[in-house]
């Protein structure tokens, strides 16, 4: 049983190292923003649309995806009284701001692409498997499996600690200290927000 747990512990650590690496790098980016200079590239274009199929933002979004390959999640929908609306199509590392005047045959799309660190930030804050983009759904599934893998790594690590007689006391002290620290941080975050 010890050998199975040890191998499981090692294999899970290797399998999920890439996803954890993304979080490691993006956390450094979040914590030390002054170290990085964002260099987003922006482009603006007009895309042809069928006005009969652009009555709502969701309809236009669907049309832009089918005709022009504009992928991502529909967010920040705004309508104004001058018979126009705008919205953002967002995916990790890029966002497309769409503005449309009702009845027009073109929509204005301003796309902003972030660099590698912007992509890492987008992946850091991406979650779930309910996106229209299949790549975002796959990333959400990887994060779910990574979360389960981390729980399994913790459980097998605790088992391995207790099987090593001379490290049992040190393991108990480290486990209690880490749980105490995690609880203190969670309580502190909840109180301050």
């Amino acid at each position: 049983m010890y050998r199975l747990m040890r191998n499981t512990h090692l294999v899970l650590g290797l399998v999920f190292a890439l996803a954890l690496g993304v979080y490691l790098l993006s956390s450094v980016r979040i914590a030390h923003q002054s170290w990085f200079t964002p260099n987003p590239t922006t482009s603006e274009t007009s895309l042809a649309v069928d006005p009969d199929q652009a009555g709502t933002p969701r309809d236009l979004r669907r049309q832009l995806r089918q005709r022009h390959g504009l992928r991502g999640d529909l967010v920040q929908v705004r309508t104004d009284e001058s018979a126009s609306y705008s919205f953002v199509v967002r995916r990790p590392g890029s966002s497309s701001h769409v503005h449309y005047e009702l009845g027009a045959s073109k929509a204005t799309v301003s796309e902003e692409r972030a660099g590698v660190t912007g992509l890492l930030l987008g992946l850091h804050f991406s979650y779930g498997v309910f996106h229209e983009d299949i790549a975002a759904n796959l990333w959400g599934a990887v994060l779910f499996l990574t979360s389960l893998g981390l729980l399994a790594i913790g459980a097998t690590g605790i088992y391995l600690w207790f099987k090593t007689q001379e490290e049992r006391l040190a393991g108990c002290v480290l486990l209690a200290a880490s749980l105490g620290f995690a609880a203190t941080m969670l309580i502190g975050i909840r109180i301050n927000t």
Side-chain angles (χ1 to χ4, degrees), residues 68-137:
H68 304 287
L70 187 62
R71 299 178 312 168
D73 294 327
L74 178 66
V75 295
Q76 298 177 4
V77 177
R78 292 192 177 98
T79 57
D80 65 32
E81 296 162 8
S82 64
S84 68
Y85 56 79
S86 62
F87 56 86
V88 177
V89 177
R90 182 173 296 144
R91 45 190 285 217
S94 72
S95 59
S96 298
H97 301 265
V98 178
H99 181 78
Y100 180 69
E101 300 285 337
L102 286 174
S105 60
K106 292 188 184 269
T108 304
V109 179
S110 176
E111 183 177 27
E112 184 176 304
R113 289 186 175 271
V116 174
T117 58
L119 174 62
L120 290 174
L121 283 178
L123 291 173
H124 187 101
F125 292 110
S126 181
Y127 59 89
V129 291
F130 48 82
H131 307 279
E132 292 182 21
D133 188 20
I134 192 162
N137 288 334

Side-chain angles (χ1 to χ4, degrees), residues 1-192:
M1 184 69 155
Y2 180 86
R3 186 175 182 164
L4 173 66
M5 289 294 180
R6 184 194 65 196
N7 291 341
T8 302
H9 189 80
L10 293 173
V11 168
L12 287 174
L14 290 172
V15 167
F16 296 114
L18 181 63
L20 294 174
V22 168
Y23 271 87
L24 171 85
L25 294 173
S26 59
S27 295
V28 170
R29 168 66 172 86
I30 293 168
H32 302 285
Q33 293 181 19
S34 63
W35 294 0
F36 302 90
T37 54
N39 294 323
T41 59
T42 305
S43 62
E44 188 171 307
T45 184
S46 293
L47 300 177
V49 296
D50 180 359
D52 296 333
Q53 296 177 358
T56 67
R58 196 165 292 284
D59 291 338
L60 178 59
R61 161 72 186 86
R62 188 177 307 113
Q63 189 179 159
L64 291 173
R65 180 183 176 109
Q66 291 169 350
R67 287 185 173 190
H68 304 287
L70 187 62
R71 299 178 312 168
D73 294 327
L74 178 66
V75 295
Q76 298 177 4
V77 177
R78 292 192 177 98
T79 57
D80 65 32
E81 296 162 8
S82 64
S84 68
Y85 56 79
S86 62
F87 56 86
V88 177
V89 177
R90 182 173 296 144
R91 45 190 285 217
S94 72
S95 59
S96 298
H97 301 265
V98 178
H99 181 78
Y100 180 69
E101 300 285 337
L102 286 174
S105 60
K106 292 188 184 269
T108 304
V109 179
S110 176
E111 183 177 27
E112 184 176 304
R113 289 186 175 271
V116 174
T117 58
L119 174 62
L120 290 174
L121 283 178
L123 291 173
H124 187 101
F125 292 110
S126 181
Y127 59 89
V129 291
F130 48 82
H131 307 279
E132 292 182 21
D133 188 20
I134 192 162
N137 288 334
L138 289 173
W139 178 247
V142 165
L143 292 181
F144 174 72
L145 293 174
T146 301
S147 299
L148 293 179
L150 287 174
L151 292 173
I153 287 171
T156 55
I158 291 170
Y159 176 83
L160 294 172
W161 261 339
F162 281 104
K163 289 307 261 181
T164 307
Q165 300 295 336
E166 62 271 8
E167 292 184 11
R168 190 174 288 174
L169 179 61
C172 287
V173 170
L174 288 172
L175 181 61
S178 64
L179 289 175
F181 177 75
T184 302
M185 295 306 290
L186 284 173
I187 291 169
I189 289 170
R190 295 291 178 214
I191 288 173
N192 291 326

